Amino acid sequence: MWTGFAFAGLIVAIVAVAGLIGGLAQTSLDHPPHALWLVAVAGLAAVGLWLAARLGQRLGRTQMTTLRAAIAEAAARTKSEALVAATLVPAADASAPLR
């Protein structure tokens, strides 16, 4: 999902830069800078993308909270299991042959 947002943001940026270059070229040739409208359209699209991202973050907040809690629980359990295993397993003998 976020790759799509990144791609859409890239397209919006390209359209804005193209509109700016085109508008400045038209101005330098003493033509009306109609291409500058692309900058305004890209700005509106950028605001729309930002609002869509904020909405998606708000809708996924409860899922992210649940996911963070599950990750924290798994990390704590793994850490405690590693500590127990380290105390139960005897230290490896350096002279023992490797299998």
Side-chain angles (χ1 to χ4, degrees):
M1 180 56 90
W2 285 108
T3 304
F5 274 104
F7 182 69
L10 178 66
I11 295 299
V12 167
I14 289 171
V15 168
V17 169
L20 186 63
I21 290 171
L24 293 175
Q26 288 172 336
T27 301
S28 70
L29 295 173
D30 293 327
H31 294 288
H34 296 297
L36 288 179
W37 281 103
L38 288 175
V39 177
V41 170
L44 289 174
V47 169
L49 282 173
W50 179 76
L51 289 172
R54 296 288 296 177
L55 176 65
Q57 288 174 3
R58 183 175 297 146
L59 291 174
R61 184 172 290 151
T62 57
Q63 292 175 354
M64 288 301 296
T65 303
T66 304
L67 183 61
R68 282 190 189 111
I71 290 172
E73 179 185 333
R77 187 174 47 241
T78 302
K79 184 177 180 182
S80 66
E81 288 172 0
L83 289 174
V84 169
T87 58
L88 296 177
V89 176
D93 186 11
S95 64
L98 295 176
R99 295 182 194 184

